[in-house]
Amino acid sequence: MKKLPWMTLGALALAMAAIAPASAQEKSVAVTAIVEHPALDAVRDGVKAALKEAGYEEGKNLKWQYQSAQGNTGTAAQIARKFVGDNPDAIVAIATPSAQAVVAATKTVPVVFSAVTDPVAAKLVPNWDASHTNVTGVSDLLALDKQIDLIKQVVPGAKRVGMVYNPGEANSVVVVNQLKELLPKQGMNLVEASAPRSVDVGSAARSLIGKVDVVYTNTDNNVVSAYESLVKVGQEAKLPLVASDTDSVKRGAIAALGINYRDLGEQTGRMVARILKGEKPGDIKPETSTKLELFVNPGAAEKQGVKLSEDLVKSATEVVK
């Protein structure tokens, strides 16, 4: 009977030993986005799905936290500082403003950006090679020549292309500057309309009425989060809308040739998993997605005064009805 306490302690020690590895293996990932809208939400969900596929599941061996900055760069900086203080195994920063906030807040915690158009212009990494810093990630950079081709297919003969964007968002400024170079080569020109806040999107769109033949929108977060206000203007003024975000087609754009953001999130999640398994972010080259999908919305086209060609509709990945 005197041996019983020792046997009990032994059993307890064995139980603790069995539990310890699981606890030691728990990883923590903190995710932040500048705003919540379908594309960025799809990235977040894709990251989580890819981590689960890699063996990291919330409630088992993964501590997962997510916060949105609700479109406010000051809030993005606060979230970044909070997450850095938590010292997770990796921070995932979705969209350029959030990524810039996180990168500014830490030089040690691994940072994986996602849905950033040009990480070099945004000064997240020095170039497209392995950064040898704490930062890597996945870009949603699009070839703009293909975007211009789509504009011409939707509105043949278009000469004046309007663009509503936030001049404070680095990824949008990059697109504007590139379009200023590319459009004149196609006999077209760009007309800009500034929308520093989401509430400015509708008035910026109205300022383009009579000045442009078509409005093109990139993945500007202010614009995408308030896309319905842009659609309202497009329908009232018969002003065709062409997007680069396929989710915007479901919300009223005529067409978009864009990235599947769920896939982009999964690609990002696989990169995060590599870091959780021991790779250094600075040894991993930033990546892009080359898988493009064409979405068209014939109903939106009719409401905005254009008719899509049968060939364009037949070539679409998805026809929104």
Side-chain angles (χ1 to χ4, degrees):
M1 292 293 292
K2 290 181 180 180
K3 291 183 179 181
L4 186 58
W6 291 103
M7 291 170 64
T8 304
L9 287 172
L12 181 62
L14 285 171
M16 290 181 68
I19 293 169
S23 300
Q25 289 171 7
E26 184 180 70
K27 298 294 183 180
S28 59
V29 174
V31 183
T32 181
I34 188 60
V35 71
E36 289 173 297
H37 62 63
L40 301 191
D41 295 349
V43 173
R44 176 198 62 208
D45 295 344
V47 170
K48 197 170 190 178
L51 287 175
K52 185 177 180 179
E53 182 71 22
Y56 300 101
E57 188 172 355
E58 186 179 14
K60 292 185 178 179
N61 60 352
L62 175 67
K63 180 183 177 183
W64 169 277
Q65 57 176 321
Y66 167 78
Q67 287 192 29
S68 164
Q70 302 298 329
N72 188 305
T73 53
T75 304
Q78 291 174 2
I79 293 170
R81 290 192 294 270
K82 193 265 182 190
F83 280 177
V84 170
D86 292 343
N87 195 33
D89 293 293
I91 299 175
V92 179
I94 304 172
T96 303
S98 283
Q100 289 174 317
V102 174
V103 170
T106 181
K107 303 296 181 212
T108 55
V109 178
V111 179
V112 181
F113 60 79
S114 189
V116 169
T117 300
D118 191 334
V120 178
K123 298 182 179 179
L124 303 178
V125 289
N127 51 53
W128 286 91
D129 292 323
S131 68
H132 303 297
T133 68
N134 62 317
V135 183
T136 188
V138 183
S139 166
D140 60 355
L141 184 68
L142 292 171
L144 286 178
D145 54 345
K146 293 181 180 178
Q147 300 294 306
I148 294 171
D149 286 344
L150 178 61
I151 291 170
K152 291 165 70 176
Q153 289 180 74
V154 173
V155 188
K159 298 295 182 185
R160 303 168 300 170
V161 179
M163 185 165 162
V164 178
Y165 73 103
N166 174 13
E169 195 163 318
N171 62 309
S172 298
V173 174
V174 167
V175 172
V176 166
N177 290 337
Q178 289 179 346
L179 285 175
K180 284 179 178 178
E181 289 184 13
L182 293 171
L183 285 173
K185 297 175 183 177
Q186 301 283 341
M188 306 162 82
N189 68 287
L190 185 70
V191 182
E192 303 168 43
S194 174
R197 303 167 300 166
S198 294
V199 294
D200 300 324
V201 170
S203 58
R206 283 191 291 274
S207 75
L208 294 172
I209 296 173
K211 299 177 184 177
V212 300
D213 306 308
V214 59
V215 172
Y216 171 73
T217 54
N218 72 319
T219 52
D220 185 287
N221 291 291
N222 278 358
V223 175
V224 175
S225 63
Y227 207 83
E228 283 74 14
S229 61
L230 196 65
V231 172
K232 187 173 185 288
V233 175
Q235 292 178 357
E236 290 174 352
K238 301 298 181 187
L239 190 55
L241 305 177
V242 177
S244 60
D245 163 36
T246 54
D247 282 306
S248 294
V249 179
K250 298 175 184 177
R251 298 164 70 189
I254 293 172
L257 181 64
I259 289 165
N260 182 309
Y261 279 88
R262 170 71 181 219
D263 288 350
L264 191 80
E266 291 180 3
Q267 185 177 353
T268 305
R270 289 191 291 272
M271 186 178 282
V272 175
R274 290 168 63 185
I275 292 168
L276 297 184
K277 290 175 180 177
E279 286 191 59
K280 294 180 179 178
D283 293 339
I284 303 173
K285 284 186 178 183
E287 298 174 358
T288 59
S289 175
T290 55
K291 182 182 175 184
L292 295 180
E293 297 179 335
L294 173 64
F295 280 37
V296 298
N297 186 331
E302 185 177 347
K303 291 176 183 176
Q304 293 164 33
V306 298
K307 182 174 175 58
L308 299 178
S309 71
E310 289 186 15
D311 288 343
L312 183 63
V313 174
K314 286 178 180 177
S315 67
T317 309
E318 183 172 329
V319 178
V320 177
K321 296 179 179 179

